[in-house]
Amino acid sequence: MNTSVFAPWNDPDEKPLIRFKNVTKRFGDFLAIDDLTQDIYAKEFFALLGPSGCGKTTMMRMLAGFETVTEGTIELAGKDIAAVPPNQRAVNMMFQSYALFPHLSVYDNIAFGLKRDKLPKDRIDARVAEMLKLTRLEKFARRKPHQISGGQRQRVALARSLAKGPKLLLLDEPLGALDKKLRQETQFELMDIQETTGTTFVIVTHDQEEAMTVASRVAVMDEGRIIQVATPDGIYETPNSVYVADFIGDVNIITGSAKAAGEDKYFVDWGVNQAPILATSERPFAEGQECHLAIRPEKISITKDKPDDAENAVQGKVLDIAYLGNLSTYHVQLPGGQVIKAQTANTRRLSRRGITWEDPVWIRWNATAGVLLEK
Amino acid sequence: MRRFALIAIPYTWLLALFLVPFLIVFKISLSDIALAIPPYTPTMKDGFAALIQGLDFENFVFLTTDDLYYKAYLSSLQIALISTFLTLLVGYPMAYGMARAPQEWRATLMMLVILPFWTSFLIRVYAWIGILSNEGFLNQFLLWTGLISDPLTILNTNTAVYIGIVYTYLPFMILPIYAALDRMDDSLIEAAEDLGCSRLSAFWLVTVPLSKNGIIAGCFLVFIPALGEFVIPSLLGGSGTLMIGKILFEEFFNNRDWPVASAVAVILLLILIIPIVLFQRNQQKEAEA
């Protein structure tokens, strides 16, 4: 797979395309970006993910040049871009609203940036044709934006922002206005286009699935800071904090105190009358330190009978079953009152399901299934 | 049937308040002047056959024999065009400023634009006499600052008429342009800049085309009443200001020549039909777009 080889962030010789250095941005008293330092490499598909108001859009608008930096510097290809106005940056942006010019045809929208560069007409024609082909819009070149569908508008916006061949393309919630099915298709299209053109993409989104699907690296943001930057699987499998674990996907958090249990192994004391949980962790914990065990529901299995050889097994009662078609999530209440979610794939037909509401069940997981977190 | 009743209301309105009065005016324009009440002949009292026979296009022919009339039409067109253009020059920046103002100010600004309507139009035009006359506020102020040594003659010239028209019709220009600019998505300007436009070229390439319909609507709303304007040229204009509204007034009240006055009005309406049709085309095109 491509992602396994493409990891410029691990190569110390690689020069980043974008470099945020201690960037702070304030709007009046409001601190939008808090002393942020981050490198983004060429050809990356970098996702900024976070709840609304976390500063992800501000970061993008600073890259585009629509917002100034209060403190710190942003470098693009080694040069500080603070003084470069948006119309002279080799950066283009695809707007959340698409911002297509309603008075211009699809063709003229895509040609808009090229015309500003005063290119000869035949070169503009050739480039626009190329963009139309890339986004499969050849048939709609003469239409006005209001005469095409939402998905087509989205592709026009993409074609327009790519037409000038920017070093960096910024995408602000590019798929937010599309319905779910179209969004999923378009995600793959975006990845294809990013690969074909070799452009660096920075995408802002609040949709974690979208970020996970398209991005080479995901930055999870909160309150003006980047909490964690990692590949999608890194973010999912080894979150560095409860915030990230909780933000990405579904997770069970069990809080307790750590007790050493051999090399890289800890017992987590988490409740009276409960056997301690065995968990592995490369991160060291002090004796009795508070810790949080994050386990994904799909890593927990559920059985009616007591498992014999499980590293961790707890008995509980089925409180709720969420049937999602392909998956079922069981909400299991433990004697202490805590509810743990366990997920299983529905490989059998629903009528064959052996577990139902109020059933006493056992849930089990391996020591390596979860991640032990400090905070 | 209900649909018919529904559209019947506006049609009856138009019929009663536009078509019927117009037909009456048109009929008078085909009559002859007479020393009678009403001061024209023939009337319905003469019977229908005599009425039809008594009508002719004499008055329209008369309008072509005296060059006063066509000069007045031309001069009115010229004054209306120039003052519409001036109103656009003054109104566009104001509308732009309003659309760009912080949201909480907009209602106040809108109010300030509409506020003059709360005072009588006539009094506001009279007030300009006090400002523009030789001893008026403007001249006194300019003399005081030392910019001029002799008072400027503004009142009773075409300049005063332009000032009056621009002042009076400014809200009609501002409001449609403001409405167009207000609807515009700010990210369009950002997108234009992002694609390489300077602030100024973004304005010409995006803002102006997108406010085009507002500009057209505003220009017609100013041009159409300005063409037939009577009060402003007669109060602020001088003997040299020739406008068809003034001629019409003189024919009607000073000469008591209702038929010629009606003929002048009918021609004025015919001239106005052209811009009105153009205006409607524009609205229709916008609706289709």
Side-chain angles (χ1 to χ4, degrees), chain A residues 98 140 143 145-155 182:
Chain A
Y98 307 150
F140 306 102
R143 300 249 190 113
H146 61 89
Q147 293 164 322
I148 55 179
S149 73
Q152 289 159 352
R153 275 203 282 276
Q154 190 269 348
R155 298 212 297 272
L182 192 56

Side-chain angles (χ1 to χ4, degrees), chain A residues 61 64 66 86-89 91-95 97 99-103 109 112-114 116-117 146 160-161 164, chain B residues 184-199 201-202 204-210 212 288-289:
Chain A
R61 290 177 61 82
F66 299 129
N87 56 347
Q88 283 158 31
R89 292 191 184 188
V91 174
N92 283 126
M93 179 152 166
M94 187 186 147
F95 290 79
S97 63
L100 298 178
F101 303 122
H103 59 298
N109 262 287
F112 191 90
L114 302 169
R116 303 289 83 74
D117 288 349
H146 61 89
R160 185 180 71 176
S161 51
K164 291 183 81 170
Chain B
M184 212 176 88
D185 181 0
D186 285 342
S187 61
L188 291 174
I189 301 297
E190 285 186 348
E193 282 184 43
D194 187 62
L195 293 166
C197 277
S198 63
R199 282 275 160 89
S201 60
W204 284 114
L205 290 168
V206 179
T207 312
V208 171
L210 288 178
K212 190 186 79 190
E288 280 167 11

Side-chain angles (χ1 to χ4, degrees), chain A residues 104-272:
Chain A
L104 299 178
S105 66
V106 166
Y107 179 96
D108 287 324
N109 262 287
I110 298 173
F112 191 90
L114 302 169
K115 284 182 183 166
R116 303 289 83 74
D117 288 349
K118 307 250 175 339
L119 291 179
K121 180 136 191 350
D122 52 327
R123 286 209 23 219
I124 293 179
D125 279 341
R127 182 66 181 162
V128 174
E130 194 183 331
M131 285 298 119
L132 286 170
K133 189 159 175 253
L134 183 72
T135 49
R136 296 183 286 110
L137 284 165
E138 294 102 323
K139 273 188 276 177
F140 306 102
R142 292 285 142 219
R143 300 249 190 113
K144 290 274 177 74
H146 61 89
Q147 293 164 322
I148 55 179
S149 73
Q152 289 159 352
R153 275 203 282 276
Q154 190 269 348
R155 298 212 297 272
V156 178
L158 183 65
R160 185 180 71 176
S161 51
L162 277 171
K164 291 183 81 170
K167 277 187 196 158
L168 171 65
L169 183 72
L170 306 170
L171 304 110
D172 187 4
E173 304 268 1
L175 312 175
L178 305 180
D179 61 64
K180 194 169 179 197
K181 201 145 191 145
L182 192 56
R183 197 157 65 217
Q184 284 170 346
E185 287 171 26
T186 315
Q187 283 167 2
F188 289 101
E189 258 181 45
L190 265 185
M191 290 158 76
D192 282 348
I193 288 172
Q194 195 257 348
E195 238 169 83
T196 321
T197 58
T199 313
T200 311
F201 278 29
V202 172
I203 183 175
V204 156
T205 179
H206 66 269
D207 179 346
Q208 41 126 337
E209 242 177 76
E210 185 174 302
M212 305 281 282
T213 310
V214 298
S216 57
R217 278 197 302 168
V218 178
V220 180
M221 293 186 71
D222 187 38
E223 293 180 344
R225 270 174 302 202
I226 290 182
I227 309 291
Q228 186 176 11
V229 183
T231 54
D233 56 304
I235 287 270
Y236 190 77
E237 299 287 348
T238 51
N240 67 356
S241 61
V242 173
Y243 177 81
V244 174
D246 199 32
F247 193 79
I248 309 282
D250 220 353
V251 74
N252 296 298
I253 304 286
I254 299 170
T255 304
S257 59
K259 203 166 75 182
E263 198 186 341
D264 287 347
K265 278 187 179 168
Y266 295 91
F267 281 119
V268 180
D269 275 325
W270 61 287
V272 247

Side-chain angles (χ1 to χ4, degrees), chain A residues 51-76:
Chain A
S52 53
C54 71
K56 56 191 194 298
T57 303
T58 308
M59 257 182 95
M60 169 165 287
R61 290 177 61 82
M62 288 194 297
L63 278 174
F66 299 129
E67 303 288 354
T68 54
V69 177
T70 314
E71 283 161 37
T73 53
I74 301 175
E75 285 177 7
L76 177 68

